[in-house]
Amino acid sequence: GAGVSQTPSNKVTEKGKYVELRCDPISGHTALYWYRQSLGQGPEFLIYFQGTGAADDSGLPNDRFFAVRPEGSVSTLKIQRTERGDSAVYLCASSSPERASEQFFGPGTRLTVL
Amino acid sequence: AQKVTQAQTEISVVEKEDVTLDCVYETRDTTYYLFWYKQPPSGELVFLIRRNSFDEQNEISGRYSWNFQKSTSSFNFTITASQVVDSAVYFCALSPSNTGNQFYFGTGTSLTVIP
């Protein structure tokens, strides 16, 4: 595709529910990143995939958060038992093997936990 | 520790004025990359520039210019002759070489250009 796409653009859920956020990276990009951006803050790193495997998941805040990338392309960020503090914009980025340090970001999914 | 500081939270300028956005970083890595991203109200982060730690040459791209100084660990961004379309939040980011390309972002500077 032309750019990184993320769905849904907005998600409203209730405390305790399970949510899935999807990221479709730029075609050919092998690296994929998830970030979380709270209001008035810069994005904070959550997890990084190289191909199908999670190369670095040190940013995941706790075991309620999990992400997969089974075929090395689309990734899903999964949040269990959501809490109000999970409300944020979740950003996905991807990068190519040739310019691995240059990340291209999607529009984000705004998650609101009521 | 890796850290990026953008001390300016909000800046307002009148159209056609020049404005400089400050960025100071901390890292123990000798090899790293620095970036600037623009986040307009639509929310999508737009890549502006990448600099590696071995290249201190300043760069100019149209009305944008960047001043990288390792001696002061700064990577400042100047917009010349600002325009209303420049209104956005600007983020500086650091990517050390040993963290698998993880980015460390500053808290951003919100720029408002008044017509």
Side-chain angles (χ1 to χ4, degrees):
Chain A
V4 178
S5 62
Q6 293 185 244
T7 55
S9 55
N10 279 285
K11 176 70 177 177
V12 179
T13 191
E14 294 179 343
K15 181 175 178 293
K17 299 290 188 182
Y18 168 83
V19 296
E20 289 189 352
L21 312 179
R22 175 188 166 107
C23 172
D24 200 340
I26 293 172
S27 178
H29 281 196
T30 55
L32 184 146
Y33 308 80
W34 282 100
Y35 291 83
R36 178 168 71 174
Q37 186 176 19
S38 300
L39 192 63
Q41 301 295 315
E44 292 179 301
F45 170 79
L46 295 177
I47 187 170
Y48 153 56
F49 287 90
Q50 186 60 254
T52 60
D56 182 354
D57 64 358
S58 62
L60 294 177
N62 52 59
D63 62 6
R64 295 187 298 105
F65 288 74
F66 189 71
V68 296
R69 195 186 185 200
E71 298 178 359
S73 179
V74 171
S75 176
T76 304
L77 178 66
K78 308 180 180 193
I79 311 174
Q80 299 177 324
R81 303 183 303 280
T82 52
E83 300 178 355
R84 293 193 179 88
D86 299 335
S87 296
V89 176
Y90 289 82
L91 295 166
C92 177
S94 68
S95 64
S96 69
E98 297 78 25
R99 292 178 72 86
S101 64
E102 210 166 295
Q103 297 182 19
F104 293 87
F105 284 79
T109 293
R110 182 176 299 279
L111 175 66
T112 303
V113 182
L114 301 176
Chain B
Q2 323 288 354
K3 186 178 179 182
V4 174
T5 301
Q6 295 180 256
Q8 304 152 308
T9 306
E10 295 182 2
I11 300 177
S12 290
V13 297
V14 176
E15 199 172 21
K16 298 184 182 177
E17 287 184 346
D18 299 347
V19 58
T20 295
L21 310 182
D22 298 334
C23 173
V24 174
Y25 63 92
E26 295 176 30
T27 180
R28 292 181 181 173
D29 286 66
T30 54
T31 302
Y32 51 89
Y33 292 93
L34 295 165
F35 301 80
W36 276 95
Y37 281 84
K38 175 181 180 179
Q39 189 172 45
S42 61
E44 190 162 344
L45 282 163
V46 177
F47 169 81
L48 295 179
I49 190 172
R50 179 186 77 158
R51 256 337 208 197
N52 75 52
S53 51
F54 296 109
D55 183 1
E56 288 192 72
Q57 188 172 4
N58 290 333
E59 182 160 339
I60 298 174
S61 176
R63 295 184 298 106
Y64 295 169
S65 62
W66 291 269
N67 183 349
F68 176 30
Q69 294 195 352
K70 287 181 77 171
S71 61
T72 56
S73 297
S74 66
F75 186 44
N76 296 338
F77 172 31
T78 297
I79 302 174
T80 303
S82 59
Q83 300 177 0
V84 173
V85 293
D86 296 328
S87 297
V89 180
Y90 291 85
F91 290 97
C92 180
L94 164 71
S95 178
S97 62
N98 67 345
T99 61
N101 300 324
Q102 177 187 145
F103 277 24
Y104 296 85
F105 283 85
T107 51
T109 297
S110 177
L111 174 66
T112 301
V113 181
I114 303 166

